[in-house]
Amino acid sequence: MGTVASMPSSSKSLSDLAGSRVVVTGATNGIGMATAGALARAGVRVVLAVRDTDLGARRAREFGGDCEVLRLDLADLASVRAFVAELDGPVDALVNNAGMFPHQRRTTPDGFELGMGTNFLGPFALTNLLLPRISRHVVSVGSEGHRRARIDPADLDYRRTRWSAPRAYTGSKLAVMLWGLELDRRLRDVGSPVTSMLTDPGWAASNISNKPGLGALHRVAQGLAGVVGNDLDAGAAPTLHCLTEPVPPGSYVGVDGLWGLRGRPVLSGRARTACDYDLAGRLWTEAETLTGTRWPLG
């Protein structure tokens, strides 16, 4: 791990983003809540893209500022399309934050393995559909867990590969890393002003393990994260860093602490597999087929 360099003179504060419009998925809890709250308090027009709109409305009241709440379930492509149709006007940035840990083998309404469908295929479709309206940034939350993953673009539903919860989660995050790599390449090829960046929040005390029947595990995970990991605000810092600092397009921003568990934002390296453009291209093609969405910029 490297250390955090001094901020360049061209860096911005969150207040410099006031008046811009940012979509944040998964904005009711965890890292997404911290990200959306910080943006709203800085005067950013925040679209809270959430499954639970009642909780979203409560968060909007808590955040203050200019918040719009729209329903989005990334595990359901019909919901993704409905969200895009309901959202009007241009967007400065899209933060693909929402994610889940698939504790049981389940499928989405579209028949995808739940972790892959929620963490990768849903955000992939959302980004393709929204991209013509985005003017600045696409920031997608990955994970250091991608280093332990393998992926077969022809077997994203784990029909030929043995399924396990950790394998499904880390595989979905490797998919996010590869998608971000290919998205950056495509944006550069067409000369788009939009940048694609990836982040990792470290080990933050989020609610990703807060599922029915896992109360004790969730409490243990949060307790450990509170000791050796980042709090939610620190976990949101890498994403906010991408929105305010002159981060090179295609970068992966993690944290500078030991083993990537906690610390301040820093440019990070990624696993060799996550740098494989051929694999990323094959994954993109498969994702287009599965989601019925296409690269929208030519």
Side-chain angles (χ1 to χ4, degrees), residues 219-238:
R219 288 191 295 272
V220 170
Q222 285 210 315
L224 287 174
V227 174
V228 300
N230 273 335
D231 62 23
L232 293 180
D233 289 336

Side-chain angles (χ1 to χ4, degrees), residues 75 77 106-117 121-122 157 290-291:
L77 291 180
R106 295 167 53 200
T107 57
T108 71
D110 302 287
F112 307 141
E113 189 276 326
L114 183 61
M116 193 66 71
L121 292 170
D157 290 331
L290 292 172
T291 64

Side-chain angles (χ1 to χ4, degrees), residues 146 174 177-178 181 270-277 279-280:
H146 84 274
L174 176 56
M177 299 293 291
L178 288 163
L181 184 76
R270 62 196 89 185
R272 181 174 298 179
T273 306
C275 301
D276 186 333
Y277 279 97
L279 181 60

Side-chain angles (χ1 to χ4, degrees), residues 24-27 32 49 72 74 95-100 118-120 123 141 173:
V24 181
T25 68
L72 172 65
L74 288 166
V95 176
N96 288 309
N97 164 85
M100 57 85 65
T118 305
N119 296 346
F120 167 53
V141 178
K173 286 302 184 177

Side-chain angles (χ1 to χ4, degrees), residues 32-276:
M33 179 180 69
T35 300
L39 291 170
R41 288 187 291 272
V44 175
R45 299 164 56 211
V46 184
V47 179
L48 310 181
V50 299
R51 287 184 301 170
D52 185 340
T53 54
D54 289 338
L55 181 55
R58 192 172 93 196
R59 293 291 186 241
R61 292 191 296 271
E62 293 168 356
F63 298 157
D66 186 353
C67 292
E68 178 181 3
V69 180
L70 294 179
R71 187 177 186 280
L72 172 65
D73 182 354
L74 288 166
D76 186 346
L77 291 180
S79 177
V80 172
R81 292 182 182 278
F83 171 84
V84 173
E86 186 176 2
L87 181 69
D88 63 340
V91 172
D92 291 284
L94 167 62
V95 176
N96 288 309
N97 164 85
M100 57 85 65
F101 189 96
H103 296 282
Q104 296 177 331
R105 178 157 195 163
R106 295 167 53 200
T107 57
T108 71
D110 302 287
F112 307 141
E113 189 276 326
L114 183 61
M116 193 66 71
T118 305
N119 296 346
F120 167 53
L121 292 170
F124 176 89
L126 173 65
T127 303
N128 276 352
L129 294 169
L130 266 188
L131 196 54
R133 288 194 261 159
I134 299 173
S135 61
R136 297 183 192 173
H137 306 296
V138 176
V139 182
S140 302
V141 178
S143 169
E144 283 291 277
H146 84 274
R147 299 182 187 280
R148 301 185 295 275
R150 295 291 182 270
I151 193 168
D152 177 359
D155 188 30
L156 296 182
D157 290 331
Y158 295 92
R159 300 186 188 280
R160 294 191 298 271
T161 305
R162 186 178 64 84
W163 185 93
S164 72
R167 178 175 291 161
Y169 177 74
T170 59
S172 72
K173 286 302 184 177
L174 176 56
V176 171
M177 299 293 291
L178 288 163
W179 163 45
L181 184 76
E182 177 67 6
L183 178 59
D184 172 65
R185 186 194 68 78
R186 288 172 176 252
L187 290 168
R188 290 174 189 251
D189 279 355
V190 298
S192 172
V194 179
T195 60
S196 165
M197 290 168 286
L198 294 154
T199 67
D200 171 64
W203 188 10
S206 71
N207 72 328
I208 197 167
S209 58
N210 191 15
K211 300 293 179 184
L214 293 170
L217 175 62
H218 175 61
R219 288 191 295 272
V220 170
Q222 285 210 315
L224 287 174
V227 174
V228 300
N230 273 335
D231 62 23
L232 293 180
D233 289 336
T239 294
L240 299 175
H241 186 87
C242 288
L243 299 176
T244 59
E245 301 299 326
V247 178
S251 293
Y252 174 43
V253 178
V255 294
D256 67 350
L258 184 63
W259 300 321
L261 295 177
R262 66 186 303 166
R264 299 178 298 165
V266 64
L267 291 178
S268 297
R270 62 196 89 185
R272 181 174 298 179
T273 306
C275 301
D276 186 333

